[in-house]
Each structure stands twice: as C-alpha cells, then as structure tokens.
Amino acid sequence: MIRIAICGCCGKMGRFIHDVISERNDCETVCGIDKITTPYADFPIFEKASEIPQKPDVIIDFSHPSTLDDLLDYCLTNGTPIVIATTGYNDEQIEKINKASEQIPVFFTFNMSLGINLLTELAKKATQILGGQFDIEIIEKHHNQKIDAPSGTAIMLANAINEELDNSYNYVYDRHSVRQKRGKNEIGMHAIRGGTIVGEHEIIFAGRDEVISLKHEAHSKQVFAVGSVNAAVFMSGKPAGLYAMKDLL
C-alpha cells in the first residue's frame, strides 16, 4: 500500500485527489498539508510539511507556488518522492525543481491529463510536417478564478512545438499594441478567462487556404486528480530524477 500525503488537501483538487485515492486499493491518504488544518476525512492535516510525524511514500502537491520551498526542503531532507502538479511557477522556482531532481525523484508536468499529453505528441508530429509553412497559434480558456495567464499547459504546448523548430520561434502573448503584420517565426498565445471553464486548449496551424486545429477539452477537474494519483503510484520507489507524463505513459 503506497502512503500518500496531499499538499493543498483542503482545496477542490486536494479533495478530488483524496476521493480518487479512496477508490483504489493500492494507495491511501495518510495526511494532508494545508493552511486549513480542520480534518474533513480520516487523515490528519498539518500546516507545513516539516510537521508531518511519519514519512509518506510520496507527496502530491496541488496547492500554490508559495509552498514550493517548504516541500522541497522536506523531500530533500527525507528523500521523499514528490509529484508537482501546481502551476504558475516562475523561472527561478522551475530551476529549483530541476535542481532538486538531481537528489530526489520529482514528477513535474504542467498538466496531469492523459489527453493533454497526447495532444502534445500530436502537436509535435504536426509541427514536424507543417513547421515553417503554417502559422501557429495557441488559444487557452479557463475559469474566471485562474490567476496565471497564459496557462502552464499552453506554455508546455508551445515549448514542445518550439523544440521541433530548433527553438527558433518567439512567443507573442498579445497583439493589441502591435500595429504590424504577423512575423513568420511567431507562436501566438491567447488566454481567455470566464465562468467555470475547466480547461480548453486549441492549437491552430493556419496555412494557405487551409487550417488544421488540434483541441482538448477537460470537462471535470477529476481528470487531473486521476493523473496525479497515477503519477504518485508510479513514483513510489523510483530513483532520483526528473519524471514527466511521457515516462508514466
């Protein structure tokens, strides 16, 4: 039985994750980490990772970028694997994650959905065939409570596409202040916020007289919870290194 700690356990995603774990017979929630420490299930909740009395087999983090230092300190001290599913990290924090993976197992991805990761592979294949001939635009839509824009997933998609183009393209996030034609080596990125949209990502390849669109829609946040628990089970007992959804698949 794999013993899992959930960071951000009192949030919507944390509760979804606990529900997913409760339905499985290969893992269990042993504790939570959250600013709110009032239990809502049969596991204790602590304000900081350093307060956990017994080491879990793996930690799932679906909280906020501000918790990163505390989590990494705990995991590095105890050799605990971590699944990082939080978004909105800056470049310095991403570097800390990469550095930590040299000493502990770290699963880090901008999106835990199986479908999104398939979309990434399809986008890379399309870029291999169409790159240089088609303009590329990425449109992402999320609920009105999401803070970061563009989404981490949109950036992940853009990075995957750009790698196929030898990282020769630049990202353009907004065009309203630019009074000029679209550049050839651009990947446009557009963020829409409204209502309760869980998450939509569309990649448009626009060529001469034809357009190809690749799109993924998440209709429930539970798809991300399922992915994070699968990642946690996968990470238990793994050696130090940086892991992503492609390793799980």
Side-chain angles (χ1 to χ4, degrees), residues 110-164:
F110 288 106
N111 194 297
M112 284 289 172
S113 161
L114 175 63
I116 276 291
N117 286 275
L118 174 59
L119 178 68
T120 302
E121 296 304 313
L122 293 173
K124 290 166 65 175
K125 182 63 176 179
T127 303
Q128 293 169 11
I129 298 171
L130 306 174
Q133 303 177 60
F134 285 60
D135 296 327
I136 304 170
E137 299 281 311
I138 298 174
I139 302 171
E140 57 96 347
K141 304 175 185 179
H142 284 87
H143 53 87
N144 57 22
Q145 299 300 303
K146 187 172 178 62
I147 297 173
D148 53 313
S151 67
T153 301
I155 295 172
M156 178 183 77
L157 292 168
N159 288 343
I161 290 169
N162 208 10
E163 286 176 7
E164 299 297 327

Side-chain angles (χ1 to χ4, degrees), residues 223-239:
V223 299
F224 311 123
V226 171
S228 66
V229 176
N230 285 337
V233 172
F234 168 78
M235 288 294 285
S236 179
K238 286 289 186 295

Side-chain angles (χ1 to χ4, degrees), residues 21 31 61 82 143 147 162 172 195 198 208 210 224 229 238:
I21 293 172
C31 66
D61 173 36
I82 183 169
H143 53 87
I147 297 173
N162 208 10
V172 177
V198 174
R208 185 179 179 87
E210 60 180 335
F224 311 123
V229 176
K238 286 289 186 295

